Amino acid sequence: MAKVTFDQVNPGDSLPPLRRYVTQDIIDQNAVASLDYNPVHINAEWCRAARALFLNYFTDSPVGHGMMTMSFMASAVTDWAYPKGRITLMECKFIRPVYPGDTITCGGIVTEKHPLGKGRDFVVLELFADNQKGVRVAAGTARVLLP
């Protein structure tokens, strides 16, 4: 992969898309990594019972952790900025749930370029994560230092 530099990047440039297929096993691995064993993520029986209590707020299926989706978005950034760029700030909003069986496509667009010099040059990215139906499940921004 070619090294991305600050001079090569311009507002409007798009990051290459990154796709992740979500399985219950991946959600379970995220539960272990985050120590977040909330039954909404790992227990289908609980989700079915909760739906009866909370109407349509919950589904019959567990949902992925928001931080799992954010990690997919961060991977889209780091894959693009590799090997010298680094994320210094990232903020995300989780808009819709991610279910086992979803394919999540993440990407971003360069929206700002800040030439501060002395290794402090950075860009601002608008980030997104969409499911296979084209429905936005998360959105955010990232600040990335580039050489």
Side-chain angles (χ1 to χ4, degrees):
M1 176 181 274
K3 179 169 90 170
V4 175
T5 65
F6 183 78
D7 292 334
Q8 296 171 325
V9 176
N10 293 299
D13 289 354
S14 294
L15 277 64
L18 175 129
R19 288 180 183 80
R20 293 286 188 261
Y21 181 72
V22 178
T23 64
Q24 186 60 51
D25 187 52
I26 290 170
I27 294 171
D28 292 346
Q29 290 173 21
N30 273 274
V32 172
S34 66
L35 300 175
D36 181 354
Y37 297 102
N38 187 316
V40 74
H41 301 303
I42 61 171
N43 187 326
E45 184 176 313
W46 183 90
C47 290
R48 284 188 290 278
R51 182 172 186 186
L53 295 173
F54 298 104
L55 302 175
N56 288 328
Y57 184 73
F58 289 107
T59 69
D60 291 342
S61 169
V63 297
H65 300 76
M67 297 310 287
M68 175 191 73
T69 304
M70 188 173 178
S71 75
F72 297 162
M73 295 165 75
S75 291
V77 175
T78 57
D79 287 358
W80 170 75
Y82 179 84
K84 297 286 184 177
R86 66 184 170 96
I87 298 171
T88 60
L89 177 71
M90 187 170 172
E91 298 176 326
C92 290
K93 179 179 180 179
F94 309 116
I95 302 167
R96 293 206 168 45
V98 173
Y99 301 102
D102 280 351
T103 298
I104 304 301
T105 301
C106 300
I109 297 172
V110 178
T111 57
E112 300 175 27
K113 189 172 179 178
H114 298 272
L116 300 179
K118 298 182 182 177
R120 298 180 304 150
D121 297 338
F122 71 92
V123 297
V124 175
L125 306 173
E126 181 180 315
L127 304 174
F128 65 87
D130 296 339
N131 67 17
Q132 68 280 0
K133 296 175 184 174
V135 175
R136 183 115 326 150
V137 297
T141 59
R143 188 178 305 165
V144 181
L145 281 177
L146 291 174

